[in-house]
Amino acid sequence: MIVDTPAWAALAAHAATERPPLRALFAADPDRFRRFSAVLDGLLVDHSKQRVTDETMALLQDLARAADLAGWRARLFGGERINATEDRAVFHMALRHLGPEPMTVDGRDVMPEVRAVRDQMRRFADALHDGSWRGHRGERIRHVVNIGIGGSDLGPRMAVAALDASRRPDIDMHFVSNVDGADLQQALAACNPATTLFVVSSKTFTTQETMANAASARAWLVAGLGDEAAVARHFVAVSTNAAAVTAFGIASENMFRFWDWVGGRLSLWSAIGLPIALALGYDRFEELLAGAAAMDRHFRDAEFTENLPVLMALVGIWNNNFLGADALAVLPYSQSLRLLPSFLQQLDMESNGKSTGRDGAAVTWRTGPILFGEPGTNGQHAFYQLIHQGTRLIPCDFIAAAAADHPLGNHHDLLLANFLAQPEALMRGKTADEVRAELAAAGLDGAALERLVPHKVFPGNRPSTAILLEQLDPRRLGMLIALYEHKVFVQGAIWGIHSFDQWGVELGKQLAGRLLPELRGPARTEAHDSSTNGLLQAIKGWRRE
Ligand code: G6Q
């Protein structure tokens, strides 16, 4: 077990020694930024405001070796079935591989099929955009509604929002995920059946929420156009389950397939990314793929000491397992990246929210952190208080682009000033003497001044990483997402858990299925615990009234 290795013990001992705070580390070393930051093709990662020294980083590298990270990385890129509980490879890197080389799973090159689906996506996106694909009544498609949930929603939804600046003006994109009828109804309120295309995105094509939304969307369309045959021009599917797609009434030529070696939360690079190609144009989608592929090559080839996903993962493990941090705040200083925290929340928490090791035994160490976040500067006026002065240690990832994607006056300078100020404040803190001087300058003195001092002190030494993009374009977004994907992989490999299954999601799918008939049926049920039985009765009672 990883906690029994000398590398783990050495890190624990290092964490227990007294180490200078960040403020002192910066004061002692003017070169700290240069030494703890790195740039890859317009993407800069700065770890200098993390509570690490050369010694910490060297010990973390030992930990990576002790966990055989190089071996796990080779198994990943080798197409081995490292998703062992589902007996599948984890091979989304093939989806963004744009070169001529083969990418092999089980001795078979998957690239010909991958390229064929890419061609199908390009042809379809082009046809929609040039008007050769039209609705049942011959009108051009103006609205696209993606119906999907979880991994079949969050990725394309986030990417389309992130790349809003390069969005095509002729297509309105909508995303419907929630089974709450409000979601679909609100999207449909903005659409006209004659000009609306539905993309039903579901790997399994059995997910309750998606199937319910797809069925209601279909009824709306057929009612609006008065013809069952309209479905053929207004519905396409993205799935691995051809039989279920046909059964729904979508012709196989209008189905975009992907494969079981693509995990839901890693699927935006597959045809699940179709909404990105429809909203932005296929070429932009391929630029996104190219950015991710560049990060794949970097992750596969760079030494661990210079490898951005590896360094991010190791710093995260240091915070999580040795400094006692429970959470990770992801704080994009970009309105366009407002959905990145919820996308990363799934990527990280569904992958590494596990407490069973690969050997089936319970882990005794902490695994994935609680990930949350909001775009800056909004969060500053809400929950940052706890990050600055609360009792918990919450490491933060601050993310921004140097260039504005929506230029407007001096707005971007204001945004970037905050992006720089918050990590600096977290790192430095404010001492009692600094508070005194500030209060004195504001005209306070004596007991009135002293009473305030402890409340206005900031402990500082609060760690953060800064990620700066040259600009928020498809390529940099692809790099950024792949950076986090590989970080999550590295952490899972070191923690010795299965990062690519999601039995917790499956549980929800099973439980709701069992309760549905009880909710509808007239009989009183005593089949559950008293709380579930009681709530069920209350719902039925109030609904009758
Ligand atoms: C992702 C999860 C989960 C999944 C959804 C939707 O890794 O498995 O979020 O993507 O449950 O599943 P379908 O695509 O099968 O509808």
Side-chain angles (χ1 to χ4, degrees):
M1 281 186 301
I2 191 67
V3 288
D4 299 326
T5 60
W8 188 280
L11 277 160
H14 177 58
T17 59
E18 198 162 325
R19 285 161 298 107
L22 282 167
R23 209 192 245 231
L25 292 175
F26 273 101
D29 177 10
D31 219 20
R32 186 169 166 85
F33 168 73
R34 195 192 53 75
R35 293 195 308 109
F36 289 98
S37 64
V39 185
L40 179 71
D41 188 15
L43 183 150
L44 184 158
V45 181
D46 173 20
H47 283 129
S48 62
K49 293 198 197 74
Q50 292 287 348
R51 279 156 60 170
V52 294
T53 58
D54 289 334
E55 186 185 357
T56 323
M57 294 313 289
L59 293 173
L60 287 165
Q61 293 287 336
D62 291 343
L63 186 72
R65 271 187 291 276
D68 185 27
L69 180 61
W72 283 103
R73 183 179 58 177
R75 269 164 237 145
L76 171 77
F77 280 97
E80 286 185 33
R81 296 181 178 227
I82 59 168
N83 176 2
T85 63
E86 296 182 325
D87 194 24
R88 290 173 183 167
V90 177
F91 214 47
H92 49 285
M93 295 83 66
L95 301 167
R96 52 222 193 185
H97 173 61
L98 298 168
E101 306 83 7
M103 294 284 280
T104 313
V105 175
D106 291 334
R108 205 170 56 82
D109 179 15
V110 298
M111 288 315 299
E113 284 176 76
V114 169
R115 290 190 197 102
V117 176
R118 277 187 207 147
D119 285 346
Q120 186 193 5
M121 289 171 71
R122 179 194 288 279
R123 282 196 308 275
F124 184 69
D126 288 353
L128 206 79
H129 296 146
D130 68 20
S132 52
W133 178 285
R134 289 181 179 242
H136 185 63
R137 292 196 178 153
E139 292 186 47
R140 285 179 79 140
I141 298 296
R142 298 293 180 205
H143 301 276
V144 175
V145 183
N146 189 74
I147 298 178
I149 195 164
S152 301
D153 167 68
L154 290 164
R157 189 195 282 262
M158 176 275 291
V160 167
L163 301 174
D164 180 71
S166 22
R167 196 166 50 84
R168 291 182 61 95
D170 51 349
I171 300 285
D172 271 342
M173 262 320 298
H174 307 267
F175 289 88
V176 172
S177 56
N178 201 332
V179 74
D180 184 337
D183 202 4
L184 182 66
Q185 276 179 1
Q186 280 163 11
L188 295 184
C191 299
N192 164 1
T195 57
T196 301
L197 175 87
F198 294 94
V199 180
V200 186
S201 291
S202 175
K203 182 173 168 180
T204 55
F205 228 74
T206 55
T207 303
Q208 192 189 55
E209 296 92 326
T210 301
M211 292 302 108
N213 278 321
S216 297
R218 186 182 140 136
W220 173 86
L221 181 94
V222 171
L225 299 183
D227 189 353
E228 273 285 336
V231 171
R233 303 300 293 172
H234 292 268
F235 273 82
V236 299
V238 182
S239 188
T240 58
N241 185 349
V245 169
T246 316
F248 182 86
I250 297 176
S252 56
E253 65 267 22
N254 294 339
M255 170 178 165
F256 299 81
R257 53 184 304 245
F258 61 113
W259 304 273
D260 72 356
W261 42 262
V262 183
R265 53 194 170 278
L266 303 158
S267 63
L268 82 100
W269 321 101
S270 72
I272 291 288
L274 183 65
I276 306 170
L278 298 182
L280 309 173
Y282 182 82
D283 289 343
R284 300 286 90 72
F285 177 66
E286 226 170 79
E287 288 165 21
L288 182 82
L289 300 185
M295 188 57 75
D296 290 342
R297 287 192 297 276
H298 168 76
F299 174 54
R300 191 192 59 197
D301 299 336
E303 293 293 333
F304 286 166
T305 49
E306 284 157 20
N307 197 307
L308 295 180
V310 173
L311 293 172
M312 256 178 100
L314 292 176
V315 165
I317 287 179
W318 170 244
N319 287 332
N320 187 67
N321 295 95
F322 300 97
L323 300 186
D326 293 312
L328 172 66
V330 175
L331 310 167
Y333 277 65
S334 160
Q335 188 61 17
S336 300
L337 287 176
R338 66 190 173 280
L339 301 179
L340 186 70
S342 42
F343 170 78
L344 294 179
Q345 194 166 54
Q346 179 189 30
L347 176 66
D348 206 316
M349 293 174 75
E350 204 167 81
S351 299
N352 287 340
K354 311 284 164 64
S355 54
T356 304
R358 283 191 294 257
D359 58 0
V363 302
T364 55
W365 52 98
R366 291 144 74 102
T367 58
I370 302 159
L371 192 150
F372 72 102
E374 279 289 321
T377 62
N378 299 1
Q380 289 174 207
H381 301 266
F383 58 83
Y384 280 32
Q385 167 62 39
L386 186 148
I387 303 178
H388 281 288
Q389 286 187 305
T391 53
R392 294 165 194 280
L393 180 70
I394 312 229
C396 306
D397 286 355
F398 287 90
I399 304 171
D405 58 336
H406 287 277
L408 176 65
N410 69 344
H411 286 233
H412 203 63
D413 290 343
L414 293 170
L415 185 70
L416 290 180
N418 281 282
F419 161 77
L420 294 170
Q422 290 291 330
E424 186 179 22
L426 286 167
M427 180 277 281
R428 289 182 59 79
K430 203 185 274 181
T431 64
D433 284 345
E434 285 167 344
V435 173
R436 275 189 197 99
E438 229 177 66
L439 291 175
L444 262 78
D445 57 13
L449 181 150
E450 284 304 326
R451 215 176 24 247
L452 276 179
V453 170
H455 301 285
K456 299 192 79 155
V457 164
F458 287 75
N461 204 28
R462 305 215 157 184
S464 67
T465 294
I467 302 178
L468 183 65
L469 310 179
E470 193 178 318
Q471 55 184 16
L472 182 56
D473 54 15
R475 184 178 173 85
R476 274 27 172 272
L477 181 68
M479 291 177 71
L480 179 69
I481 302 168
L483 170 68
Y484 275 98
E485 285 178 355
H486 292 315
K487 179 204 88 159
V488 165
F489 165 78
V490 170
Q491 292 186 332
I494 293 177
W495 285 323
I497 53 178
H498 285 306
S499 296
F500 298 104
D501 58 18
Q502 57 283 312
W503 300 107
V505 181
E506 306 306 322
L507 174 70
K509 293 185 179 184
Q510 274 169 17
L511 295 183
R514 221 170 65 200
L515 269 152
L516 190 60
E518 293 169 1
L519 197 58
R520 286 183 180 153
R524 190 186 172 86
T525 171
E526 301 297 341
H528 305 270
D529 56 88
S530 65
S531 166
T532 311
N533 293 337
L535 290 168
L536 201 54
Q537 277 317 114
I539 293 170
K540 285 179 165 188
W542 275 338
R543 288 221 296 208
R544 263 198 299 276
E545 282 160 26

